[in-house]
Amino acid sequence: MGLFSNFTGKISKHSHEKRAAKASQTHKHHSHRAEYLLNEDTPFDVTEAFRNLKASLSVSVPKKEGGVVLMTTSAYPEDGKTTVTANLALMFAISNASVVLVDADIRKGRVAKYFKDKSVPGLSDCLSGQNTLSEVIHHSSINENLSYITCGTHSPKPYELLESEEMKKLLQELRSRYDYVIIDTPPVLLLSDALALATETDGAVLVCRHQVSYISDIERALNTLRFAKANVLGVVVNDFKTAPTSGYYGGYKKYYYYSSYSYGSTDPNEQDDEPSQS
């Protein structure tokens, strides 16, 4: 598993503002990634890395009677957390597991955009009693094994909704219906919302972004999750790129670096050069 010890480097003292500006600048150059899901045109290295991530999580939290609940979070926005979460759910579905993706970012959820759907009605509407669970579960046209629940109507008290008895009952119901319940939660260093679900899940994954996330932020995020009694499974290093090398196995290394859940760019236009056969 790719725990924090695998992520090396000098701890940065940069402010959150500087980190956010850095992420925003990077994001401007790749805005078309915003709602990117795996498809037949996805580079092989990206698909294979998600397959490795799915396999690692399957081993770490084996399937059990009643289904497995996993949550993802990040330290700050712009780390590609929702892209990782949506594609992880899709990869489980591709492997013939029944999966429901839940958008628990009631403030700024973006799962609906990946499926070109509306956010309302969604999770918050179900928790507040405005809609039934069946009314907020959407079935994906991408894969018959994948369903999703959008964030719903914005609420002034999202933390209270997520820690409510209604949320606990909803998760129990989803466990009974699906093999995997994968929850996308807000950044843990900005909001406490993710912590409301920490003890209700079987495992938590932290998503960071290569050359954008600071080591100090990752360490703080991991400590915050552990303090909340979350079962931290590991760290996904998003948008990881290695220096180009010659030879077939040099090219292979770019997407084989999965010990820290790393994977290449999710930009479908950033294809790898054809590896040399020499």
Side-chain angles (χ1 to χ4, degrees), residues 198-235:
T199 58
E200 300 300 319
T201 65
D202 298 305
V205 174
L206 181 70
V207 178
C208 65
R209 191 168 180 180
H210 187 230
Q211 296 183 337
V212 172
S213 300
Y214 292 123
I215 300 296
S216 55
D217 292 337
I218 298 171
E219 186 174 37
R220 287 173 56 210
L222 289 172
N223 289 337
T224 299
L225 289 169
R226 288 166 179 155
F227 182 78
K229 308 301 182 184
N231 177 26
V232 181
L233 301 176
V235 175

Side-chain angles (χ1 to χ4, degrees), residues 109-266:
R110 289 176 47 248
V111 165
K113 294 182 179 180
Y114 286 74
F115 301 94
K116 297 178 173 56
D117 205 345
K118 298 178 180 179
S119 295
V120 179
L123 179 62
S124 62
D125 304 290
C126 180
L127 296 177
S128 61
Q130 301 301 309
N131 293 89
T132 65
L133 179 57
S134 296
E135 289 173 337
V136 301
I137 294 179
H138 305 269
H139 301 287
S140 168
S141 61
I142 299 173
N143 187 290
E144 62 181 7
N145 297 319
L146 178 62
S147 299
Y148 60 93
I149 298 176
T150 58
C151 62
T153 305
H154 293 176
S155 168
K157 296 182 178 180
Y159 181 89
E160 286 74 11
L161 285 177
L162 295 177
E163 72 164 354
S164 67
E165 286 300 317
E166 287 75 13
M167 184 66 188
K168 293 181 176 63
K169 293 176 182 178
L170 182 145
L171 288 178
Q172 287 300 320
E173 179 63 25
L174 293 179
R175 281 182 186 271
S176 69
R177 297 190 188 189
Y178 297 93
D179 296 324
Y180 290 95
V181 181
I182 301 181
I183 309 173
D184 183 36
T185 68
V188 72
L189 294 187
L190 286 185
L191 302 165
S192 59
D193 298 6
L195 305 183
L197 298 172
T199 58
E200 300 300 319
T201 65
D202 298 305
V205 174
L206 181 70
V207 178
C208 65
R209 191 168 180 180
H210 187 230
Q211 296 183 337
V212 172
S213 300
Y214 292 123
I215 300 296
S216 55
D217 292 337
I218 298 171
E219 186 174 37
R220 287 173 56 210
L222 289 172
N223 289 337
T224 299
L225 289 169
R226 288 166 179 155
F227 182 78
K229 308 301 182 184
N231 177 26
V232 181
L233 301 176
V235 175
V236 174
V237 183
N238 181 28
D239 210 9
F240 181 83
K241 299 181 182 67
T242 59
T245 55
S246 60
Y248 180 81
Y249 290 102
Y252 188 78
K253 182 179 179 181
K254 180 175 184 290
Y255 59 84
Y256 196 71
Y257 187 71
Y258 69 92
S259 61
S260 290
Y261 297 161
S262 302
Y263 65 89
S265 170
T266 55

Side-chain angles (χ1 to χ4, degrees), residues 18-91:
K18 192 166 185 178
R19 185 260 179 223
K22 182 180 179 182
S24 179
Q25 183 179 13
T26 304
H27 183 68
K28 288 178 181 178
H29 297 293
H30 304 285
S31 59
H32 56 280
R33 285 188 206 165
E35 295 101 35
Y36 175 63
L37 287 173
L38 297 171
N39 55 64
E40 59 184 9
D41 296 322
T42 302
F44 176 77
D45 59 338
V46 177
T47 302
E48 187 66 13
F50 273 111
R51 186 173 289 112
N52 286 331
L53 172 58
K54 186 268 296 181
S56 296
L57 292 175
S58 298
V59 172
S60 300
V61 186
K63 286 177 60 177
K64 58 184 181 181
E65 185 177 354
V68 173
V69 178
L70 302 174
M71 64 173 277
T72 62
T73 188
S74 59
Y76 289 112
E78 308 294 347
D79 285 335
K81 170 181 59 64
T82 303
T83 299
V84 170
T85 309
N87 283 297
L88 175 61
L90 177 57
M91 185 55 69

